[in-house]
């Protein structure tokens, strides 16, 4: 009975939607919907041609960090009353991510397990009305659409994600899986023009061009702010070392350069590009890498990385004690640590101050790189359904 419920996709989807609904209603009633107010006003400030990156303390605190195209993405929700728009926005995040995960070519039981594993991390993200579940979907679907030889639409998502939050650019990591690379490159160029120009339809060319300049300046400034030892962001490999060593000026490059080199090593295995397990391991690597090597990563960003952890875990054909240890370690320290499931003393004294939420994902990412470099070509590919 329990097994049937656990593997019932309708039950799982209902739980995800319920998480989004309850979280949205709870946060709205408490007045904890600052992120949604930022998102909503990207649309209205674009219409009014007001700076998208200035401070508006009478409307919300903090800054907008998303590109001008986000004004159109959020528009269908922004034009509704806040209570309705916010609830629908959160539900939309849930539905899109469930859909994206469901499109991965895996057995149904493995898809269900990924959804269960990611549910708590999704809750962490949606409590802040975050865009991160959609970004996770964009990265996953960028891979899925290339695998389905729908390069034009994969390129669309990659450019959309890049023009909204930059993270989307990691979808280019799947370029070598494309069977029509020229079409893919051409599609990237077309969508770049489309998404650059599109926001001008509700504002003006001068305003949008200037907004891109402001956006770049704001991101540079934000990166500098993130390096603070007291920042709630920088939950990354760089941030963890900065905070443990009490060295706020420790350069990102000391980590980024070796990280990029390690990330790129599996691409030397050209003969593995058609291997489904290799592809899914690389998808996991991309999802985790995006977060653990970003100084802008905060707790709700980890839905992106945790989707990678879940995919890595379910495709392990023989789950060793080491595999189980890493998975349980990630569930406890990464997924559960922001919640009351972890004692407040541990959370406030160790996990937050030292960015330890990142640690399990960092170790798993190194494990994935090892598996990518050692996976045998004849490895059983029964993990994927046809």
């Amino acid at each position: 009975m329990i097994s049937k419920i656990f593997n019932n996709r309708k039950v799982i989807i209902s739980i995800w939607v319920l998480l989004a609904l309850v979280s949205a209603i709870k946060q709205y009633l408490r007045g904890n919907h600052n992120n949604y107010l930022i998102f909503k006003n990207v649309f209205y400030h674009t219409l009014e041609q007001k700076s998208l990156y200035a401070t508006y303390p009478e409307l919300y605190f903090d800054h907008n960090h998303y590109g001008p195209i986000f004004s159109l993405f959020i528009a269908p929700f922004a034009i509704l009353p806040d209570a309705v728009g916010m609830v629908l926005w959160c539900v939309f995040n849930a539905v899109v991510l469930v859909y994206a995960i469901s499109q991965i070519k895996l057995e149904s039981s493995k898809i269900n397990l990924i959804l269960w594993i990611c549910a708590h991390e999704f809750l962490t993200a949606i409590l802040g009305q975050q865009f991160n579940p959609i970004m996770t979907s964009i990265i996953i679907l960028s891979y899925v659409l290339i695998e389905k030889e729908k390069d034009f639409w994969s390129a669309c998502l990659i450019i959309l994600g890049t023009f909204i939050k930059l993270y989307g650019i990691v979808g280019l990591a799947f370029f070598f899986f494309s069977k029509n690379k020229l079409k893919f490159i051409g599609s990237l160029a077309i969508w770049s023009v489309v998404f650059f120009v599109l926001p001008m339809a509700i504002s003006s060319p001068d305003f949008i061009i200037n907004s891109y300049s402001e956006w770049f300046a704001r991101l540079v400034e934000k990166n500098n702010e993130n390096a603070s030892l007291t920042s709630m962001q920088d939950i990354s490999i760089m941030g963890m070392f900065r905070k443990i060593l009490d060295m706020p000026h420790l350069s990102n490059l000391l980590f980024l350069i070796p990280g990029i080199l390690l990330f790129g090593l599996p691409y030397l295995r050209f003969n593995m590009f058609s291997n489904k397990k290799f592809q899914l391991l690389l998808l996991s690597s991309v999802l985790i890498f995006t977060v653990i090597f970003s100084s802008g990563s905060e707790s709700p960003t980890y839905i992106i990385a945790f989707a990678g952890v879940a995919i890595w875990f379910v495709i392990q054909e023989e789950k060793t004690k080491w595999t189980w240890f890493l998975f349980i370690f990630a569930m406890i320290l990464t997924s559960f640590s922001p919640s009351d499931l972890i004692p407040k003393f541990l959370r406030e004294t160790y996990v937050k101050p030292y960015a330890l939420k990142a640690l399990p994902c960092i170790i798993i990412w190194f494990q994935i790189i090892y598996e990518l470099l050692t996976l045998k070509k004849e490895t059983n590919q029964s993990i994927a359904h046809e």
Side-chain angles (χ1 to χ4, degrees), residues 161-174:
T162 303
F163 275 44
I164 289 178
K165 200 183 176 181
L166 294 187
Y167 281 2
I169 200 169
V170 300
L172 293 176
F174 311 124

Side-chain angles (χ1 to χ4, degrees), residues 290-325:
T290 303
V291 178
I292 65 171
F293 284 95
S294 169
S295 63
S297 294
E298 53 188 337
S299 185
T301 315
Y302 269 77
I303 181 59
I304 301 173
F306 218 70
V309 170
I311 294 168
W312 164 77
F313 179 72
V314 303
I315 64 174
Q316 299 299 309
E317 291 154 327
E318 293 184 11
K319 294 178 175 62
T320 64
K321 290 180 181 178
W322 175 241
T323 304
W324 277 106
F325 168 77

Side-chain angles (χ1 to χ4, degrees), residues 8 51 77 99 116 120 130 135 151 203 210 213 231 255 271 298-299 322 346 356 366:
N8 188 317
S51 172
F77 307 95
Y99 171 78
W116 282 115
H120 188 268
Q130 293 278 343
M135 179 54 71
D151 299 61
S203 55
N210 183 62
S213 176
S231 170
F255 302 92
N271 63 337
E298 53 188 337
S299 185
W322 175 241
L346 294 176
L356 294 181
F366 281 110

